[in-house]
Amino acid sequence: LCSLRPNEDKLVFSAIFEMNEDAQVLKEWFGRCVMHSDRRFSYEEAQEVLDGKEDPLYAPVLHKLNQMAHRLRDERFKKGAFNFETDEVKFRLDENGKPLGIYQKVRKDAHKLIEEFMLLANKRVATFVHNKGPKSEEPYTMVYRVHEPPNPSKLETFVRFASKMGFSIKSGNTEQLSRSLNALMTEIEGKPIQNILESLAVRTMSKARYSTQNLGHFGLAFEHYSHFTSPIRRYPDVMAHRMLQHYLDG
């Protein structure tokens, strides 16, 4: 039912955007519709095209989407989003499902492309519902995915540890902290201390959670954020779909 198998009609809840070359949204539309996929790529297949493999039909589209994803990503980091590239471990299995070994999965442009457009949909749906409510009353109810700034005492411990390693972190305000942490992640890339400082920085962060209070998403630097996209069919996404349809229906 939920598979993205090509050449089949699928019932979906869509966030459709018209964007310019700078990845700015010009028009948006949300609603239930039927999707018919012409081609299903694995991440690896899409990455091969982005790396230069010829594909007359889909290469222009993939390259254009990738350029726009880079712009969306740059814009997020400019506004103070974190750039934590944590390693994901995968298992290599034989045909019977027996583990043969483990390897680190490298996140490439194909993964990041999908991620950026999912973030865009999640952000714009949350913003749409938040702005749709009457200004003089309580905003319309929505299930937001919120991420609060780090706990001050945890942050202080991390700042002290990093300074003993010779790294300075400015934590005057949230924007300054974000920029400082991103600068740190760039500085330690490829150094022996990288894994330790990255994992400690992640542990310093608050845990993201669901709430009907719109507290913003500190890690993504978004004022409004929900889980509208459903790659794994989470129940909060279904709640967001039902509420969005309720508001679209007036």
Side-chain angles (χ1 to χ4, degrees):
L1 180 71
C2 298
S3 160
L4 291 177
R5 283 193 301 262
N7 308 310
E8 294 180 14
D9 286 350
K10 296 289 180 187
L11 299 177
V12 294
F13 206 142
S14 292
I16 296 174
F17 303 104
E18 185 182 313
M19 303 169 79
N20 64 16
E21 293 279 329
D22 294 321
Q24 294 166 327
V25 175
L26 305 177
K27 289 181 186 172
E28 63 186 17
W29 180 89
F30 308 113
R32 290 175 168 153
C33 49
V34 180
M35 184 184 79
H36 191 96
S37 169
D38 295 318
R39 169 78 155 88
R40 181 186 184 176
F41 281 93
S42 68
Y43 282 113
E44 291 73 21
E45 288 167 339
Q47 189 60 48
E48 284 175 2
V49 176
L50 293 177
D51 288 340
K53 183 181 175 182
E54 285 190 27
D55 187 327
L57 198 53
Y58 298 107
V61 180
L62 281 171
H63 283 294
K64 175 56 70 182
L65 286 171
N66 194 37
Q67 285 167 18
M68 294 174 83
H70 274 276
R71 296 207 168 160
L72 288 168
R73 194 173 161 81
D74 290 345
E75 191 62 28
R76 273 199 305 118
F77 291 143
K78 245 188 254 173
K79 288 181 175 169
F82 288 153
N83 186 17
F84 286 144
E85 291 283 352
T86 49
D87 293 323
E88 190 181 339
V89 174
K90 289 289 208 182
F91 290 88
R92 196 176 285 110
L93 310 174
D94 67 13
E95 61 275 10
N96 300 315
K98 184 182 173 184
L100 301 174
I102 59 171
Y103 63 97
Q104 278 188 350
K105 185 179 175 185
V106 180
R107 268 168 39 85
K108 296 189 175 176
D109 270 8
H111 299 89
K112 294 173 185 178
L113 182 160
I114 295 293
E115 183 179 67
E116 284 307 322
F117 286 104
M118 283 171 60
L119 291 176
L120 175 70
N122 290 343
K123 177 179 81 165
R124 298 295 294 212
V125 163
T127 305
F128 174 80
V129 173
H130 185 269
N131 292 343
K132 197 168 173 59
K135 298 288 176 279
S136 57
E137 300 166 35
E138 285 286 305
Y140 285 161
T141 301
M142 185 60 170
V143 175
Y144 296 99
R145 181 70 170 170
V146 302
H147 184 234
E148 292 156 277
N151 175 292
S153 63
K154 276 189 177 182
L155 180 61
E156 193 183 329
T157 304
F158 176 67
V159 170
R160 274 208 310 270
F161 180 82
S163 70
K164 283 191 167 70
M165 299 289 119
F167 301 99
S168 168
I169 296 169
K170 293 174 182 164
S171 56
N173 56 48
T174 53
E175 197 173 312
Q176 196 179 48
L177 173 63
S178 302
R179 291 185 195 285
S180 193
L181 283 171
N182 278 334
L184 172 68
M185 295 302 125
T186 305
E187 194 178 347
I188 62 175
E189 196 172 343
K191 294 181 180 172
I193 195 75
Q194 181 178 358
N195 280 347
I196 295 170
L197 280 176
E198 271 186 350
S199 59
L200 281 175
V202 170
R203 288 181 192 188
T204 302
M205 295 297 114
S206 303
K207 282 191 169 71
R209 60 190 177 88
Y210 293 105
S211 175
T212 51
Q213 279 186 292
N214 183 27
L215 303 171
H217 198 295
F218 177 67
L220 293 170
F222 288 161
E223 276 186 63
H224 317 288
Y225 188 66
S226 68
H227 271 170
F228 167 79
T229 52
S230 302
I232 51 176
R233 298 311 182 278
R234 297 168 290 227
Y235 193 65
D237 307 48
V238 179
M239 294 166 73
H241 293 179
R242 289 173 181 167
M243 281 186 280
L244 176 59
Q245 189 61 56
H246 179 68
Y247 303 137
L248 290 169
D249 289 340

